[in-house]
Amino acid sequence: MSGHLVAGLVAGYGIAMPVGAVATYLVGLTARTSLRVGACAALGVATADGLYALVATVAGAAAAHAVEPVMGPLRWVSASVLIAIAVRAAVAAVRRHRAPDTAAPRVGSPPSPARAYTTFLGITLLNPTTVVYFAALVVGGRSGSGADHLGQAVFTLAAFAASASWQLLLAGGGALLGRALTGRRGRLVTTLTSSAVITGLAVHLLAAS
C-alpha cells in the first residue's frame, strides 16, 4: 500500500501546487474574510481533485484488460500527455512572470463557508486539465493486473490529502504567506516546481515500461 500512498501524494501535490487564478483568489478570499471561509474554499478545491483522482482510478481499472495489449505504447502516450501538461504550465508561468503587473479584479461581498466550498468545488471541476492529468497518470501506470480496490482507495485519499494540505496551507497563510506565494516570483517558482514533479512522474512511467 505504500506505493499507492506515495503515488497519490505525489500526484496530489503535482496538480495542486501551481499557484494560478484559483489559488490567488483563495488566498485573497481568506485574507479579507476568515480562516473558516478560506478553509472551506480550500476543501472545495481538494474535493474536486479527489473526485477526479477517484474517477481516473476507477476508469483505469475498468479499462485495464482492454488496454493490456497496448500497455507499452499507452505508457508513452500517457507520459507525453503529462510532459505536455508540465511544459504548458511552465511556459505559461514564465510568460506571466515576464508580463506587466495587472490590477486584481474587484470581488463582491464575502461568501459564506458553504458557498465558498461549492464555488471552489465548481471552479475546479470545470478545469479539464485536472481530469486529463489524473487519467494519463493512472491509465499509464496500469500494469494490466486485476483491480486493486484498496490501492485505488489509498491513491484517491492520498491525492485528496495532498491537495487539501496544500490548499489549506494557502488559506492558512492568508495575506502574509499569500503575498509570497501569489506574487510574480512565487507563482513562477511553485509552477516550475509542479512542472518538475509532473515531468518526474512521466519519466517514472517510461522507466516502468
Side-chain angles (χ1 to χ4, degrees), residues 18-176:
V19 178
V22 174
T24 303
Y25 180 32
L26 170 62
V27 172
L29 178 67
T30 307
R32 67 187 176 86
T33 55
S34 66
L35 179 58
R36 181 185 177 192
V37 172
C40 289
L43 291 176
V45 176
T47 299
D49 289 342
L51 287 174
Y52 274 143
L54 176 61
V55 169
T57 55
V58 172
H65 295 294
V67 303
E68 184 176 0
V70 292
M71 183 54 67
L74 183 60
R75 281 201 176 99
W76 282 91
V77 172
S78 297
S80 299
V81 171
L82 292 175
I83 291 174
I85 291 174
V87 171
R88 181 175 179 270
V91 171
V94 172
R95 287 178 177 173
R96 284 196 305 267
H97 182 69
R98 293 177 176 176
D101 282 322
T102 55
R106 291 186 172 273
V107 293
S109 58
S112 65
R115 183 182 172 189
Y117 175 86
T118 56
T119 297
F120 278 78
L121 172 63
I123 291 174
T124 310
L125 285 175
L126 291 176
N127 182 6
T129 301
T130 307
V131 69
V132 172
Y133 167 78
F134 279 116
L137 183 61
V138 173
V139 175
R142 295 295 301 177
S143 63
S145 57
D148 181 359
H149 298 298
L150 181 57
Q152 293 171 13
V154 170
F155 177 89
T156 301
L157 291 175
F160 168 80
S163 177
S165 66
W166 180 257
Q167 305 301 336
L168 289 171
L169 173 65
L170 293 177
L176 179 61

Side-chain angles (χ1 to χ4, degrees), residues 1-28:
M1 288 302 99
S2 61
H4 293 287
L5 176 64
V6 173
L9 290 174
V10 173
Y13 282 120
I15 195 63
M17 282 184 65
V19 178
V22 174
T24 303
Y25 180 32
L26 170 62
V27 172

